[in-house]
Amino acid sequence: MNQCRVRGLVMIRRDLARGLLGCCNHRIQQDHLLLLHPQLARLALRCMHRSGKDVDSIVNGCSANYIEGLYTKWKRDPHSVDESWDEFFRGGDGTSYRKLRVISDSRKKHRVAGGVDQAVIPLHTEKRSASGGGPAAAPAPAGDWKSIDDHHTVQAIIRAYQMRGHLAAKLDPLGIINPEHKKSMDGSQRAASEEVLREHFSYIFNDLNASFKLPSSTKIGGDEAFLPLREILDRLERIYCGHIGFEYMHIYSLNKTYWLRDRVERPNAFALDKEEKKRILQRLVRATVFENFLAKKLPSEKRFGLEGCDVMIPVIKEVVDRSTDIGVEHILIGMAHRGRLNVLANVCHKAISDIFAQFHGLKATDSGSGDVKYHLGVFQERLNRQTNRMMRITVVANASHLEYVNPVLLGKARADMYLRGDDQGNQVLPIIIHGDASFCGQGVVFESMHLSDLPNYTTYGTMHIVANNQVGFTTDPRFSRSSRYCTDVGKVVTAPIFHVNADDPEACINCARIATEYRAKFKKDVVIDIVGYRRNGHNEADEPMFTQPLMYQRIRKLKPAMNLYSDKLVKEGVITAADFNGMVTKYDKMFEDAWKSSKELKSVKNSSWIDSPWPGFFEGRDRLKICPTGISMETMKRIGETFSSPPPPEHMFDVHRGVMRILQARRQMVDEKVADWSLGEAFAFGSLLKEGIHVRLSGQDVERGTFSHRHHVLHHQSADKVVYNALQHLYPDQAEYSVSNSSLSECAVLGFEHGYSMASPHALVIWEAQFGDFVNTAQCIIDQFIASGETKWVRQSGVVLLLPHSMEGMGPEHSSGRIERFLQLSDDDQDVYPDTCDSDFVARQLLNINWIITNLTTPANLCHALRRQMLMGFRKPLVNFSPKSLLRHPLARSPFKDFNECSSFQRIIPDTGAAGKNPGNVKKLVFCSGKVYYDLVQERDDHEQVDSVAIVRVEQLCPFPYDLISEQFTLYPSAELMWAQEEHKNNGAWTYVQPRFDTALLKNEKETRCVSYHGRAPSSSPATGNKVQHKNEYKAFVTSIFGELTPANKKRLADKVKEQQEKAKASTSAPKDPPKKGGDKPGGKPKKKRVDTGDASSEPKRGPGGATKGASPVAHNKRAQLAAKEAPVPPEPGSSRVIASKVRIARKPSRGMATKSEPDLKGPGEGDDQTSKQP
C-alpha cells in the first residue's frame, strides 16, 4: 500500500471518528450509538476517550456528506466501499444508517464553538451529488486501522513516561510527597497518574496481552522488538516511577538522550552483584557509624551531621571509583558545612584523630586564625584501593556562605587542567555538593553554572550532588522556591537530572554510575538530587519540632537507611545479621581508637588543613627577598614593536582603520621611548610571558578594555571568529597568555579567578571590573575568600583586581571602587609604628599584610607592581584602583628609563620639581593618591605655587609606607601637612591614612604638626550625578588647598588664552583650497573642520557631560575663561574658544586631544558599545 493511499485512509478514518465523536458533544445518548454497528461503536468510544470534547459533531457537514456519499455508492454497488462500510450499511438493509439520519435531522441547532454560530449543513441535499458536490471520494484502503491507532497510543504513552514519569516517582523517603497509586483503566494499580499520561490516562486497552512493536525511541525491550502491552507498562513503571526520577527530555541533543535511554531503559541496567551490594552497605555503615559516634561523644557540639542523607558518602565514593578507573587523577570537592566532616573522614581519608582533635580546643602552633572544623579544607594524595590507582582529592575550604565556594572550586579545577595540559577534562573532575535550599536560592549557583560552556571557563562537566533535606533551616520548600524541584536551575545548561530516594542505596549508586559515565563521555554538567531528610535540626542543638512538627514526627519513627538496607540484604541472603553487626562493631572500634589518639595530641597545625599546597615553591626560597622588577631595553623594544604592529601580512588580516591608527600611535610612542598605560601594562605581561609565567586576564570587556585603551584582541573585519592577539606572538617559547571577556557576572567570575590563582603560584591572574563600582556585587568573594583566606585557611593567592576608579562627573555608579572598604579589611595595626630600620622592612611588611592596596599614577609603577606580584617569595592579593581618564592623559606617561633594570616599584613618588629641590621654601606638603594628583599639579600651576606647595603621591596605600612618609615629614619641617582626595570624607583613603599619619608623626617627639583633610564633605552616595554640583565640590576642596585665583593668576591665564586664540585665528585665516564638488556652498556657513591633533590650539573633545577629555575639572568649570574675561585684555572677537588652563604637549593624539585615532573615554550607556550596565 503506497504512502499516499495510507495518508488518505488515515484522513478518512479521522473524519469518521470525529463525526461519530460528536455524539458526546451534542448530548446524543449512548443508546443511539448502539444503533450503529458494534465495530463502529467501539471505534467511537475509543475516539471519545482519546480525543476528549474538542471535536466536530456527527452532523458536521464534512462527515455527514461523506457518509451519505458512501451510502449512495453502496446502494449502486456494495463492493465499491470498504468491507466495514458494507457491513454497516447492510445491517437491516440500511436501517442503522437511516436511524442515524433521523438523529441528524432531529438536531435543528448546532453547538456554539468560541461564541460563533455555525450553520448546520443538511444531511441530505437534492442539489448535491453523492460526493457532496465535488469529485467522488477515493475509497478507503483496507487495513487494520485499530492496530495502527493502538501503536500510536502506545508510543505516546512511552514518551509520556520518559518526559513526565519523574512526577510519579517515589522519591520521598518520608512518604509526604510521594504520589498515590491509582487504579488504571486496565484494572491494575499504577503510579503514573493523569499528570503523567495526560490524555492517554483513560485509554481503553482491549487486550493487555496484545503485543506491540516497540518504537526506536525506547530501549525497554532490549533485544526484543515486540512486547505485550502489560509488560510495556510494567517496565515503564519500574524505570520511571520507581525510586529514581529521570529528567533528561529537556536536553536538545538526540545523541545524549539516546545514550541516556540506552543506559537507563535496557533490561537489568541497574542489576548489582552481591559483592557490589556488600560494598555499598559497608560504606553506608561507615558513614552512619561516624555520625552516630560523634553524636554519642559530643551530643551538644555543632558538627552539621549527615544523618538522613548518609547515602551521599557511598555516592561520592562511587563517583571517585568510577572516575579514577577511567583516568581521572584529581578530584576537587566544593561543599557547604553539612556532611563536611564525614567527607573528610570517609572520602578523603583524612586522619580521623586530626578531625576529632578539632573538637578538643587545642592551640595552633603555626600562623593563622584558623576556622571552625566544618569549614576546613584538605588536600590528600592516596591510593584508591578499588582501582589500585594513585589519586588526589581536594576539599576546598568554604565559609558559611554555602554556594559561594562553587566558582572558586571551578576556577581551581580549570587551573589544574591547564597545569596538566588537560584540555578535555579527562584528568580532573570537579564535584559540587549543594543543599536543596541554597541550590535554588542563591544566585551564584546560576552565575557559576553559566560558566560551564564558556571557552575560557569550562571545566568540561561538573558533577552536582544535592543533599536534599526537603527543608532549608526552618523554611519549607513551598516558601523557599517557586519551581517544582530545587534542581531546576540545572536545566539552563541542559544537564540531566537524576532525583533519587535516599533510602534506596542501590538506586543512588546507579545514579552515580550513570552520572559519572555521562560526564566522562559528553563533558557536560550532570545533577544527582539525593532526596533525603535531616534527622536533627539545622544543627545538633536546634529543635526542629518548633517549625516542622509533622515532618519530624515521621522522621522520629523512620529507621536509618543503614538499617533498612541491611534488612533488605539479609532477606536476599547477601549477608547475615551477624555480618551486619560485625561491620558496625568494626567501625565503632576504629573511631574509638582514633578518639583516644586525638586525646593525646597537645596542639594542632592550621597548615595541616591547607587545600592548595604549592609543593616546591617555598622550599629553599628566601621569602624576604624581592627580585628586581626592571626590564631590559631589548625586551621593551621587542614587546613594543610587536604590540604596536598589525598582524603579519601572511595572516591576511583585515584590521579596523581606527585600530590601525591606535597601533600607529603606539609605534610612535615606542620610537619616542615613552609608554602610556596600555603599553606599560603590555611591558609587564610580555616580560612575564618571556620568563615562563602564565598570564590570565579576565573580566567584562577586557579584550578591548572598557575604555577602549587595551585592544589586545583584534577582530578580522571581514571574517567571523578570526582574531589576533599580539602578546601571544612575542617569543617562540613564551608562556601562554589568556585574555577573555567574561559573562556579565562579578561574583562568579571573580570567584573563578581567585580559585584559578590558588592552583599555582606561577601564574599572574587578573580580574578587571568594568567599573570599580560594580565590584560590590562580588563582596562575598572578597570578604570571605580573598581578604581573609590566608588568615583562616593558611592558603595564599596572588590574584590581582583592577578596579577603574576616579571622580570624573559620571555619577554615583561610575565613580568609586570603594577604596575605603578594601582598606578597612586590611589587617595592619594603625597604632603601631613598625621597625623601619630592618633591612628587610619592605618585604616583611608585605609578608605580614593580608593584601596589597595601590592607587597608581604612572604606567611604569603599574608594570613594576604587576611584576613584583610574581617575583616575591610569597603571594598576596593585589587590589589596584586603576584610572580612567589617565589611560590617555598626556602627563600620565612614563619614559622607558622608568622601566629599565635600574628601576623598581615606587611606594611613594616624591615631588621632584621646584618644591622638591628647595624644601625649605615649601609652605604646604600635600599627600594624595591616584588621579587627583594630576588635578592638583594643574591647580598648583594655575595658582603659581609651584615652589611653595609640594605634592607627594602615595602609590601604595596598604601596607602603609611609614618609612618614606616619615622621610617626607623630615624633608619639609615647616610645611603645613595636608591630605587631599577627590572622594568624600567618609570614602576614599582618609579614614585609613589619617591614624597612620598620626602614628608616624608621634614617632618624632618634637613633631607638633598634624595632617588636615582636604576633599569632599561626607556623603552616603559615592558621587553626585549633577554636573554643576560636581564642579562646585571640586572647586571647594581645591580652593581650600591653594586659595582663590589672584588677579595676577587671572591675568596670566588670560594671556595664555590670548596667545592660543591668536594661533587659532592664524590657522583659520590661512588661504584655503577651492571647495570641492559637494563641499561648502559659496556664501554659506563653512563646515567645521577637525584641527590637527598635534596643534595645541585645537579644542579638546568633550566627554560625558561636556567634560574635557583628559583635562582636570578646572577646565570643566571654565574658570580659565572667566579669568580671561576679568583680565584687562579681552579675547579677540571671532576667535576659536580654547582652554587656557592646560597647555598640551604636541606629541600625539592623547586623552585631551581625542580624535578618531583613539576613541573617547565613554562609560556604558554613554556612546560606548558596552550597554550591559548603564548609570
Side-chain angles (χ1 to χ4, degrees):
M1 186 183 296
N2 62 46
Q3 187 174 0
C4 183
R5 293 190 63 191
V6 171
R7 186 182 301 111
L9 184 57
V10 170
M11 296 294 292
I12 291 170
R13 284 287 187 170
R14 186 188 64 185
D15 285 345
L16 172 61
R18 295 178 68 188
L20 295 174
L21 217 60
C23 301
C24 178
N25 295 327
H26 295 280
R27 301 182 179 87
I28 295 178
Q29 302 298 322
Q30 290 276 349
D31 58 330
H32 293 163
L33 286 176
L34 297 179
L35 298 175
L36 305 179
H37 190 275
Q39 180 181 354
L40 289 175
R42 288 197 299 271
L43 173 63
L45 286 173
R46 283 201 306 274
C47 294
M48 286 168 55
H49 288 302
R50 278 203 302 256
S51 302
K53 298 182 178 181
D54 295 331
V55 293
D56 298 324
S57 74
I58 194 170
V59 293
N60 177 278
C62 297
S63 300
N65 291 333
Y66 171 71
I67 297 173
E68 186 179 16
L70 288 178
Y71 181 69
T72 303
K73 290 179 63 178
W74 175 79
K75 288 181 67 176
R76 289 198 305 263
D77 181 9
H79 298 288
S80 64
V81 297
D82 187 74
E83 292 180 0
S84 61
W85 285 114
D86 178 53
E87 184 180 0
F88 170 66
F89 292 135
R90 194 180 299 279
D93 192 24
T95 304
S96 299
Y97 173 66
R98 286 194 295 273
K99 289 184 178 180
L100 183 61
R101 282 189 56 188
V102 171
I103 295 172
S104 302
D105 292 336
S106 66
R107 301 192 55 79
K108 301 298 182 182
K109 294 185 179 180
H110 63 287
R111 64 188 174 102
V112 178
V116 180
D117 292 341
Q118 300 175 351
V120 178
I121 300 176
L123 184 62
H124 180 72
T125 303
E126 294 294 333
K127 296 181 181 181
R128 289 175 177 259
S129 65
S131 60
D144 188 358
W145 296 106
K146 175 182 180 300
S147 177
I148 293 175
D149 288 345
D150 287 345
H151 271 83
H152 287 169
T153 302
V154 170
Q155 185 173 357
I157 288 174
I158 292 173
R159 184 169 180 83
Y161 272 98
Q162 292 170 340
M163 292 188 67
R164 297 179 294 276
H166 58 87
L167 300 176
K170 297 177 284 294
L171 303 176
D172 184 8
L174 302 178
I176 297 175
I177 61 172
N178 283 339
E180 296 181 2
H181 280 60
K182 296 181 180 180
K183 182 177 290 188
S184 298
M185 296 299 294
D186 63 344
S188 61
Q189 295 286 337
R190 302 195 187 281
S193 62
E194 194 167 1
E195 187 178 14
V196 176
L197 298 178
R198 295 184 180 175
E199 69 269 23
H200 305 296
F201 179 67
S202 302
Y203 183 76
I204 296 180
F205 303 103
N206 291 330
D207 185 5
L208 288 176
N209 296 319
S211 292
F212 289 89
K213 186 179 187 306
L214 297 174
S216 61
S217 58
T218 185
K219 302 295 182 181
I220 60 174
D223 298 330
E224 299 178 79
F226 293 84
L227 281 179
L229 180 56
R230 190 187 308 275
E231 184 64 20
I232 291 174
L233 296 175
D234 289 344
R235 292 190 184 187
L236 291 172
E237 283 278 322
R238 286 195 299 269
I239 294 168
Y240 290 105
C241 300
H243 286 162
I244 305 176
F246 295 101
E247 279 192 280
Y248 64 90
M249 294 297 285
H250 58 277
I251 300 175
Y252 305 131
S253 168
L254 289 177
N255 188 28
K256 295 184 179 70
T257 55
Y258 286 161
W259 184 90
L260 285 167
R261 285 176 192 158
D262 184 72
R263 190 65 181 80
V264 167
E265 293 184 350
R266 282 196 176 275
N268 300 318
F270 296 156
L272 300 172
D273 60 34
K274 289 186 177 181
E275 292 303 316
E276 290 174 326
K277 293 180 179 181
K278 287 181 182 179
R279 184 164 62 248
I280 294 171
L281 177 62
Q282 196 172 32
R283 290 172 170 178
L284 184 59
V285 169
R286 177 167 175 161
T288 305
V289 171
F290 177 82
E291 299 292 356
N292 294 342
F293 182 85
L294 287 176
K296 178 177 64 176
K297 292 290 185 179
L298 306 159
S300 60
E301 278 275 0
K302 286 184 182 181
R303 53 184 171 82
F304 294 94
L306 201 55
E307 296 98 323
C309 207
D310 318 71
V311 76
M312 187 180 81
I313 300 301
V315 166
I316 298 174
K317 290 180 74 67
E318 185 67 25
V319 171
V320 170
D321 291 347
R322 289 269 166 167
S323 299
T324 53
D325 190 47
I326 57 180
V328 172
E329 298 175 357
H330 190 186
I331 293 176
L332 299 99
I333 301 175
M335 63 184 302
H337 35 279
R338 185 165 307 285
R340 178 176 286 262
L341 297 180
N342 209 321
V343 170
L344 294 176
N346 296 322
V347 176
C348 302
H349 292 183
K350 175 71 173 175
I352 299 175
S353 58
D354 289 348
I355 298 175
F356 290 163
Q358 293 293 316
F359 290 93
H360 301 330
L362 302 177
K363 182 180 179 180
T365 58
D366 54 357
S367 62
S369 64
D371 201 349
V372 291
K373 43 202 163 288
Y374 38 81
H375 288 174
L376 298 175
V378 73
F379 173 88
Q380 290 287 103
E381 191 165 9
R382 67 175 180 85
L383 177 69
N384 187 320
R385 287 174 290 184
Q386 294 299 322
T387 60
N388 200 33
R389 295 186 178 185
M390 291 299 297
M391 58 174 295
R392 292 181 176 180
I393 298 185
T394 296
V395 177
V396 179
N398 188 22
S400 286
H401 293 63
L402 305 174
E403 303 288 344
Y404 283 85
V405 73
N406 298 1
V408 178
L409 174 90
L410 296 177
K412 184 173 171 58
R414 172 71 185 214
D416 194 44
M417 292 177 187
Y418 167 77
L419 295 172
R420 293 171 176 269
D422 179 13
D423 58 356
Q424 291 297 321
N426 294 323
Q427 302 173 33
V428 180
L429 171 65
I431 301 175
I432 303 179
I433 301 171
H434 309 269
D436 53 317
S438 60
F439 194 45
C440 62
Q442 294 192 315
V444 69
V445 175
F446 187 89
E447 294 184 33
S448 301
M449 294 196 81
H450 264 288
L451 301 177
S452 63
D453 278 341
L454 304 185
N456 277 348
Y457 302 88
T458 180
T459 55
Y460 305 100
T462 299
M463 184 80 65
H464 301 270
I465 301 175
V466 182
N468 192 340
N469 299 315
Q470 304 189 71
V471 63
F473 204 157
T474 64
T475 306
D476 291 336
R478 64 180 182 272
F479 298 118
S480 65
R481 67 173 184 261
S482 299
S483 58
R484 183 182 186 98
Y485 297 115
C486 66
T487 55
D488 284 348
V489 66
K491 294 180 181 179
V492 302
V493 294
T494 63
I497 302 170
F498 308 135
H499 309 278
V500 59
N501 190 317
D503 274 359
D504 187 345
E506 293 180 13
C508 292
I509 295 305
N510 277 304
C511 286
R513 292 181 176 181
I514 299 172
T516 305
E517 294 168 8
Y518 180 90
R519 187 268 175 186
K521 181 174 181 61
F522 298 107
K523 311 300 181 186
K524 298 293 183 180
D525 287 24
V526 61
V527 180
I528 303 175
D529 177 21
I530 304 176
V531 184
Y533 55 89
R534 192 184 63 196
R535 186 165 289 275
N536 301 307
H538 177 65
N539 58 63
E540 286 66 28
D542 189 39
E543 176 48 72
M545 293 287 285
F546 289 156
T547 52
Q548 279 79 31
L550 300 181
M551 172 185 278
Y552 275 86
Q553 287 174 18
R554 293 197 179 202
I555 292 175
R556 297 289 185 260
K557 299 175 183 177
L558 195 64
K559 294 173 66 174
M562 175 186 71
N563 299 92
L564 294 174
Y565 190 53
S566 64
D567 293 345
K568 177 178 180 293
L569 295 189
V570 169
K571 289 180 181 179
E572 293 178 359
V574 177
I575 63 168
T576 64
D579 294 334
F580 170 66
N581 294 331
M583 292 182 191
V584 174
T585 303
K586 170 188 172 183
Y587 290 117
D588 194 61
K589 182 180 183 303
M590 181 179 73
F591 296 136
E592 185 66 45
D593 294 341
W595 179 264
K596 293 178 181 178
S597 299
S598 69
K599 286 288 190 179
E600 298 174 0
L601 298 176
K602 304 301 180 183
S603 62
V604 294
K605 283 189 175 182
N606 293 323
S607 58
S608 65
W609 296 93
I610 190 169
D611 58 9
S612 302
W614 293 337
F617 177 70
F618 297 110
E619 286 76 2
R621 181 184 294 266
D622 183 1
R623 298 196 184 190
L624 298 179
K625 180 182 178 181
I626 299 180
C627 298
T629 57
I631 308 172
S632 68
M633 186 62 68
E634 181 184 355
T635 301
M636 281 188 281
K637 184 178 179 181
R638 176 69 175 268
I639 296 170
E641 290 178 350
T642 305
F643 188 55
S644 61
S645 300
E650 59 267 21
H651 286 237
M652 294 186 293
F653 199 94
D654 184 7
V655 184
H656 191 279
R657 288 180 298 174
V659 174
M660 285 298 298
R661 287 192 289 269
I662 293 174
L663 296 178
Q664 291 167 5
R666 286 178 182 168
R667 175 54 65 96
Q668 184 179 350
M669 283 192 293
V670 173
D671 294 340
E672 296 174 356
K673 292 183 172 53
V674 65
D676 67 354
W677 210 267
S678 64
L679 188 53
E681 182 185 71
F683 284 162
F685 291 177
S687 59
L688 291 173
L689 294 171
K690 178 187 177 184
E691 296 165 13
I693 295 175
H694 170 45
V695 178
R696 176 182 171 91
L697 174 61
S698 168
Q700 298 159 25
D701 318 303
V702 296
E703 294 180 1
R704 189 203 72 172
T706 299
F707 309 104
S708 195
H709 71 288
R710 185 173 285 125
H711 290 283
H712 281 190
V713 178
L714 307 184
H715 292 261
H716 200 296
Q717 295 300 297
S718 55
D720 188 27
K721 300 179 182 178
V722 178
V723 296
Y724 178 81
N725 187 339
L727 294 183
Q728 292 177 343
H729 302 277
L730 296 173
Y731 299 94
D733 57 347
Q734 70 175 61
E736 180 181 346
Y737 173 51
S738 169
V739 55
S740 175
N741 292 340
S742 73
S743 64
L744 198 66
S745 162
E746 286 80 26
C747 184
V749 176
L750 177 56
F752 187 97
E753 303 306 333
H754 173 61
Y756 199 102
S757 70
M758 288 162 44
S760 170
H762 303 296
L764 177 63
V765 183
I766 305 173
W767 176 78
E768 181 178 68
Q770 190 182 67
F771 279 85
D773 309 67
F774 304 144
V775 73
N776 55 11
T777 65
Q779 199 65 48
C780 181
I781 299 296
I782 295 167
D783 292 347
Q784 311 308 134
F785 293 91
I786 299 177
S788 58
E790 183 180 5
T791 302
K792 294 187 296 186
W793 305 316
V794 203
R795 70 181 184 201
Q796 295 188 2
S797 165
V799 67
V800 178
L801 280 65
L802 300 180
L803 309 179
H805 168 97
S806 60
M807 308 284 282
E808 300 183 13
M810 299 179 71
E813 277 73 51
H814 292 80
S815 298
S816 176
R818 297 289 191 174
I819 297 178
E820 65 280 357
R821 293 182 178 174
F822 291 87
L823 292 173
Q824 186 186 34
L825 291 170
S826 302
D827 61 5
D828 58 330
D829 193 336
Q830 64 186 18
D831 299 321
V832 176
Y833 191 88
D835 181 11
T836 58
C837 298
D838 185 358
S839 60
D840 297 320
F841 166 70
V842 175
R844 195 179 302 280
Q845 212 184 15
L846 294 172
L847 178 63
N848 294 333
I849 200 71
N850 62 320
W851 58 9
I852 304 167
I853 312 294
T854 59
N855 193 8
L856 308 177
T857 60
T858 70
N861 235 16
L862 171 68
C863 177
H864 289 296
L866 294 176
R867 286 182 53 78
R868 185 179 68 170
Q869 280 293 100
M870 294 291 100
L871 299 178
M872 296 188 296
F874 47 88
R875 294 290 177 262
K876 298 287 178 177
L878 168 64
V879 182
N880 179 58
F881 292 88
S882 52
K884 293 181 283 189
S885 63
L886 296 192
L887 297 174
R888 295 184 182 84
H889 199 292
L891 299 181
R893 297 185 179 180
S894 299
F896 278 21
K897 65 180 180 63
D898 289 350
F899 296 89
N900 64 23
E901 296 96 333
C902 299
S903 61
S904 62
F905 178 75
Q906 294 179 279
R907 291 177 291 151
I908 72 166
I909 301 180
D911 196 321
T912 57
K917 295 175 182 177
N918 298 286
N921 298 332
V922 172
K923 297 179 180 179
K924 296 178 180 178
L925 173 59
V926 181
F927 293 96
C928 66
S929 186
K931 190 266 300 183
V932 72
Y933 164 77
Y934 294 96
D935 296 333
L936 296 175
V937 168
Q938 183 59 56
E939 294 293 344
R940 182 177 64 177
D941 180 65
D942 290 346
H943 287 78
E944 299 183 271
Q945 298 178 15
V946 176
D947 56 350
S948 62
V949 177
I951 304 177
V952 176
R953 288 170 273 179
V954 182
E955 299 281 285
Q956 178 180 293
L957 292 165
C958 172
F960 193 70
Y962 286 98
D963 53 336
L964 302 181
I965 294 296
S966 297
E967 290 176 4
Q968 295 299 307
F969 288 158
T970 305
L971 183 62
Y972 303 97
S974 58
E976 179 185 355
L977 305 179
M978 299 180 176
W979 170 262
Q981 67 177 37
E982 57 182 352
E983 300 86 3
H984 292 277
K985 190 174 185 179
N986 57 326
N987 301 152
W990 170 244
T991 54
Y992 177 83
V993 300
Q994 190 264 339
R996 288 162 178 80
F997 277 137
D998 290 346
T999 299
L1001 289 168
L1002 290 173
K1003 181 66 175 176
N1004 186 352
E1005 297 178 355
K1006 298 180 180 180
E1007 186 63 75
T1008 59
R1009 295 175 294 175
C1010 64
V1011 179
S1012 58
Y1013 169 79
H1014 295 268
R1016 287 176 166 86
S1019 173
S1020 59
S1021 174
T1024 178
N1026 184 287
K1027 297 178 180 61
V1028 175
Q1029 183 174 341
H1030 171 76
K1031 296 171 185 176
N1032 291 338
E1033 290 174 352
Y1034 173 84
K1035 179 180 179 180
F1037 92 77
V1038 166
T1039 301
S1040 70
I1041 299 173
F1042 300 102
E1044 295 285 354
L1045 287 168
T1046 65
N1049 299 147
K1050 295 177 181 179
K1051 184 179 183 306
R1052 185 175 68 88
L1053 294 176
D1055 291 341
K1056 286 187 177 181
V1057 170
K1058 181 180 178 181
E1059 180 183 355
Q1060 292 184 355
Q1061 289 174 341
E1062 288 176 349
K1063 290 182 180 180
K1065 182 178 179 182
S1067 64
T1068 56
S1069 62
K1072 298 181 180 179
D1073 295 332
K1076 297 181 180 180
K1077 184 178 180 180
D1080 298 336
K1081 295 181 180 179
K1085 184 178 180 180
K1087 292 183 178 180
K1088 293 183 179 179
K1089 295 186 177 181
R1090 179 169 58 86
V1091 183
D1092 186 9
T1093 57
D1095 191 347
S1097 65
S1098 62
E1099 180 181 350
K1101 269 193 175 181
R1102 298 281 158 179
T1108 304
K1109 297 297 184 180
S1112 66
V1114 69
H1116 301 173
N1117 62 28
K1118 302 180 183 178
R1119 190 190 314 142
Q1121 287 81 350
L1122 294 176
K1125 291 180 180 179
E1126 298 173 8
V1129 182
E1132 295 182 17
S1135 62
S1136 301
R1137 184 166 62 94
V1138 298
I1139 302 299
S1141 60
K1142 186 178 292 290
V1143 180
R1144 286 171 173 72
I1145 302 172
R1147 177 179 294 153
K1148 66 173 288 292
S1150 65
R1151 189 60 189 151
M1153 303 174 285
T1155 69
K1156 289 185 179 180
S1157 63
E1158 292 195 2
D1160 293 338
L1161 171 68
K1162 295 184 181 77
E1166 301 178 53
D1168 201 358
D1169 63 351
Q1170 310 298 313
T1171 57
S1172 53
K1173 293 182 178 175
Q1174 298 183 3

